[in-house]
Amino acid sequence: MDMMEKFSLQGKVALVTGAAYGIGFAIATALAGAGAKIAFNCRSQSNLDKALADYAEKGIDARGYIADVTDEAQVSDLVAKIEKDLGGIDILVNNAGIIKRIPMLEMSAEDFRQVVDIDLTGPFICAKAVIPGMIKKGRGKIINICSMMSELGRETVSAYAAAKGGLKMLTRNICSEYGGANIQCNGIGPGYIATPQTAPLREKQPDGSRHPFDQFIVSKTPAGRWGTAEDLMGPAVFLASEASDFVNGHILYVDGGILAYIGKQP
Ligand code: NAP
Ligand code: GCO
């Protein structure tokens, strides 16, 4: 048997939400490299246009669509357009997400709701839109991009941690409810990854020194570095392929070991 065949995504259609840049772009690139046809969405035409050029530069004929994952009508329209353009969706990566770093007592309920809406309700809406087609096909893969904050909290990220903790349990519930339809729903829990989302945590200080949080994360990570979006490519292909057909409801942490490590004695 050619073991690498197990990791092939030839003939599969993948939707990666929020894949104009960052982690989503890297994951979509990885799935394309394994043979999948790629569809992605984001909210701004300028980001979409730049992303299409970036994908084309990598030789990827990605299809981009404007759709907000919190809007059921837009998501339903997105799925219908992808089905018309590329075929039924085999793989959904719920990647789109935001963070607001605000101390809880200073955070408005509106800000809290917006984070939960995008990071948790959005994946629910997108999964609900693709599962009927997957049931018809007799198979499907859903990958929810969770977080270390699915397990741990920290100051200023109450809404994000609540949403990502919920996304871990939504992952397990989709597994429970649709595993019998041969749909595998798993999560990827990235550690601290160098993308636009974490740029504020890595900004150089006025005196040119490294951001204290940057130094903290590097010291707390056994790998001794921030992750890159590329570190997530292999795990995504694994969870999107038949190589993981008996893996379900699992959150695969790709974090350089940070969750396993208590930290060096000061
Ligand atoms: P990012 O660089 O901020 O990219 C987020 C993407 O989501 C953008 O393409 C954005 O595009 C899109 N997006 C945001 N809200 C959307 C909405 N309502 N509908 C559709 N698209 C939307 O973030 P990232 O670092 O790549 O993170 C991607 C995912 O990984 C997120 O779920 C994040 O929580 C998670 N994560 C990140 C890290 C990390 O350290 N970076 C670690 C763990 C987990 P538009 O703004 O144009 O819509
Ligand atoms: C933060 C970071 C983290 C990362 C990631 C860690 O402010 O603590 O943004 O939340 O984005 O989710 O896994």
Side-chain angles (χ1 to χ4, degrees), residues 18 24 30 45 59 73 84 92 121 124-125 128 139 171 193 213 233:
Q45 191 61 48
K84 179 171 168 288
L92 167 66
T121 312
F124 163 79
I125 288 171
K128 198 177 141 197
R139 55 178 161 75
T171 301
I193 311 293
F213 198 88
M233 294 172 86

Side-chain angles (χ1 to χ4, degrees), residues 186-231:
N186 292 288
I188 288 177
Y192 278 83
I193 311 293
T195 70
Q197 191 243 52
T198 54
L201 306 175
R202 290 175 282 108
E203 265 165 13
K204 282 269 185 273
Q205 301 300 285
D207 65 2
S209 63
R210 283 167 54 197
H211 193 297
F213 198 88
D214 173 3
Q215 299 179 64
F216 167 66
I217 289 302
V218 170
S219 71
K220 274 284 282 177
T221 306
R225 65 175 174 88
W226 282 72
T228 64
E230 289 68 30
D231 288 320

Side-chain angles (χ1 to χ4, degrees), residues 146-184:
C146 296
S147 160
M148 276 181 51
M149 274 55 208
S150 299
E151 303 294 338
L152 301 175
R154 82 175 185 85
E155 300 79 4
T156 76
V157 297
S158 59
Y160 184 82
K164 292 299 187 178
L167 187 55
K168 173 176 74 174
M169 288 315 301
L170 177 64
T171 301
R172 291 179 178 163
N173 215 76
I174 293 171
C175 152
S176 307
E177 204 161 353
Y178 296 103
N182 192 29
I183 293 171
Q184 292 83 48

Side-chain angles (χ1 to χ4, degrees), residues 98-146:
I98 65 165
I99 192 167
K100 287 180 184 276
R101 300 183 182 94
I102 306 168
M104 186 174 152
L105 296 186
E106 296 165 33
M107 179 175 247
S108 67
E110 185 192 342
D111 275 337
F112 187 94
R113 285 195 189 99
Q114 188 192 12
V115 173
V116 172
D117 207 18
I118 294 172
D119 293 10
L120 179 56
T121 312
F124 163 79
I125 288 171
C126 292
K128 198 177 141 197
V130 304
I131 285 172
M134 291 178 172
I135 290 172
K136 279 200 199 100
K137 279 176 177 262
R139 55 178 161 75
K141 297 282 185 180
I142 297 173
I143 301 171
N144 293 324
I145 307 301
C146 296

Side-chain angles (χ1 to χ4, degrees), residues 9-53:
L9 302 179
Q10 285 298 339
K12 296 291 191 332
V13 175
L15 166 58
V16 185
T17 67
Y21 49 83
I23 287 172
F25 182 86
I27 286 177
T29 301
L31 302 185
K37 289 183 273 186
I38 299 300
F40 73 96
N41 69 300
C42 59
R43 293 168 298 182
S44 82
Q45 191 61 48
S46 58
N47 282 344
L48 187 143
D49 294 342
K50 180 169 183 321
L52 287 172

